[in-house]
Amino acid sequence: MRTLRSFAAQPLAVRLLLVNQLGVNLGFYMVIPYLAVHLETSAGLSLAAVGVVLGVRNLSQQGLFLIGGTASDRLGPRGVIIAGCLLRAAGFGMFALTPTLPVLLAASIISGVAGALFNPAVRAYIADASGDRKAEAFALFNLFANTGMCLGPLVGSALVLIDFRVGAAVAAAVFAGLALAQALVLPARAAAPAATTVLGGWRTAFADKGFLAFTLATAALFALQNQLYLLLPTAAVDATGTSWATAAVFGASTVATLGLQVRATDWCRERLTRPAAIGLGLALLGAAFVPPILLPAETPGLHFAAVLVSALLLSIGVMTAQPFVLELVADRAPHGLTGTYYGVYYLLSGVVAAVGTAAVGLVADLAAPWASWLACAVLGLASAAFAARTPRTPALAAAS
């Protein structure tokens, strides 16, 4: 009931964008988890070519977040969001065509550019439209996003039984429907008058030492959240010997988010400053990787239980920190540069997450299995300590 009341209290535009995010993740996860297998089996690509196609999509999105955020500031977020959904519909529609390498590369690039457009624009719109209820709006945003992430693979697995291209076509239709809904219902928000040039806005963001310190202090949030797709599922499957263990990991994460997200944000907002809530969330992220060290892989049943505890703690850490992180990015941005600041934040965080995920995988390959868990725990706890110090910088001093 608390979640429903919180949702109903948000402005119409925010409610639409929350449903939109559920649809975005639903369509995305209907296709992406099954794309690699489709490329290798149906398209007959080598593993190297598969890696290129997947890497191009990720690079197109992560590398262009700044462009998408700037476009949101200059053109207004509504048009950028609609354009992003239309491009994603086109990109996923191309995945449903005859799978040749040029078509697949074009589909990956278009899909990545689409994400780079609507991701910062949606957050900028929500930050502006929700007023002084940003943290609550972003808590709901995380809840709706996780719901879509959970439903997407379930729907996609059913459609893949027919044909991967059917799933891609349905996902494209989902994105086209989202674009139409926003074109009809989402209110226009005029872009703020530009106080500087595009390059001037970028210089402002990259010269903001307090903002950069805050970004680096909290980037571990995304690097450790990514382990929900790498380290935890791998450990769960190794411990049980069955693929259903992956569903159990995602199920534990989703149940925790659906049941606790709004309550966790309310609890933190009533008792903690925003920097303290972020520090607590990062500390929980670090602590999430301790149980599998204490219950090692030599005891498979206990190790699997420890991995599920990790998934729960990881989700609680994310739901504790993330709404306040997104709120502070918006509050830090000068007038007219909210999208730019989100673009810079996600660009830098994406780089850190990519490097961190690669490093964890390398440690897992070269060292004992517990070493990768320990590395993640140290990263989370160190980030929590760093975040606790950042109120001394301008980025968090006012928020404290």
Side-chain angles (χ1 to χ4, degrees):
M1 290 299 293
R2 174 69 186 91
T3 300
L4 291 177
R5 289 197 303 270
S6 177
F7 176 77
Q10 296 293 331
L12 171 63
V14 174
R15 296 200 302 270
L16 177 62
L17 290 176
L18 295 175
V19 175
N20 174 74
Q21 191 60 33
L22 189 155
V24 164
N25 279 12
L26 172 69
F28 182 84
Y29 287 100
M30 282 169 55
V31 172
I32 296 302
Y34 310 102
L35 180 57
V37 173
H38 170 69
L39 296 178
E40 187 178 359
T41 56
S42 301
L45 299 185
S46 66
L47 288 178
V50 171
V52 169
V53 171
L54 297 180
V56 162
R57 193 209 65 79
N58 191 61
L59 181 62
S60 300
Q61 179 163 313
Q62 297 293 143
L64 294 177
F65 269 136
L66 181 54
I67 303 297
T70 302
S72 173
D73 288 336
R74 299 283 162 165
L75 305 175
R78 178 180 180 272
V80 176
I81 294 168
I82 294 171
C85 286
L86 288 174
L87 280 176
R88 181 62 64 83
F92 277 29
M94 291 177 71
F95 281 131
L97 301 177
T98 303
T100 61
L101 184 57
V103 170
L104 292 170
L105 285 174
S108 293
I109 292 171
I110 292 171
S111 300
V113 171
L117 287 176
F118 62 65
N119 275 315
V122 165
R123 287 156 178 81
Y125 196 121
I126 289 177
D128 186 27
S130 57
D132 58 358
R133 305 181 67 135
K134 292 186 188 70
E136 188 176 338
F138 283 124
L140 290 167
F141 184 82
N142 191 38
L143 188 154
F144 275 75
N146 275 273
T147 302
M149 185 180 70
C150 179
L151 295 176
L154 297 178
V155 177
S157 63
L159 294 175
V160 164
L161 293 177
I162 304 172
D163 192 300
F164 170 86
R165 289 171 291 183
V166 173
V170 171
V174 169
F175 280 102
L178 292 174
L180 178 61
Q182 290 161 107
L184 294 175
V185 181
L186 187 62
R189 298 187 78 86
T196 182
T197 63
V198 169
L199 292 179
W202 293 358
R203 282 195 299 268
T204 298
F206 282 106
D208 190 337
K209 294 180 180 179
F211 171 64
L212 294 182
F214 173 67
T215 299
L216 293 177
T218 58
L221 170 66
F222 300 92
L224 296 179
Q225 186 181 16
N226 274 2
Q227 302 315 311
L228 190 62
Y229 315 108
L230 174 66
L231 192 58
L232 271 66
T234 301
V237 171
D238 289 344
T240 62
T242 58
S243 59
W244 65 262
T246 298
V249 169
F250 283 109
S253 173
T254 301
V255 168
T257 302
L258 293 178
L260 299 175
Q261 175 65 79
V262 174
R263 291 182 176 86
T265 302
D266 287 344
W267 187 90
C268 291
R269 191 167 52 185
E270 293 168 1
R271 293 168 176 81
L272 302 173
T273 64
R274 291 183 291 183
I278 293 170
L280 174 61
L282 290 170
L284 288 171
L285 285 170
F289 294 91
V290 174
I293 300 175
L294 301 178
L295 298 172
E298 288 74 16
T299 54
L302 292 176
H303 189 65
F304 176 60
V307 171
L308 293 182
V309 172
S310 289
L312 287 171
L313 285 175
L314 191 67
S315 299
I316 294 171
V318 171
M319 73 176 70
T320 300
Q322 192 172 66
F324 299 101
V325 168
L326 296 175
E327 183 182 32
L328 278 172
V329 173
D331 286 351
R332 179 61 184 176
H335 183 64
L337 290 179
T338 303
T340 298
Y341 266 58
Y342 275 121
V344 171
Y345 183 82
Y346 276 97
L347 173 62
L348 297 180
S349 297
V351 171
V352 172
V355 172
T357 301
V360 168
L362 183 62
V363 169
D365 288 338
L366 299 180
W370 56 265
S372 54
W373 297 99
L374 179 60
C376 289
V378 170
L379 177 59
L381 296 174
S383 296
F386 189 18
R389 294 174 58 87
T390 50
R392 300 178 185 179
T393 69
L396 296 183
S400 296

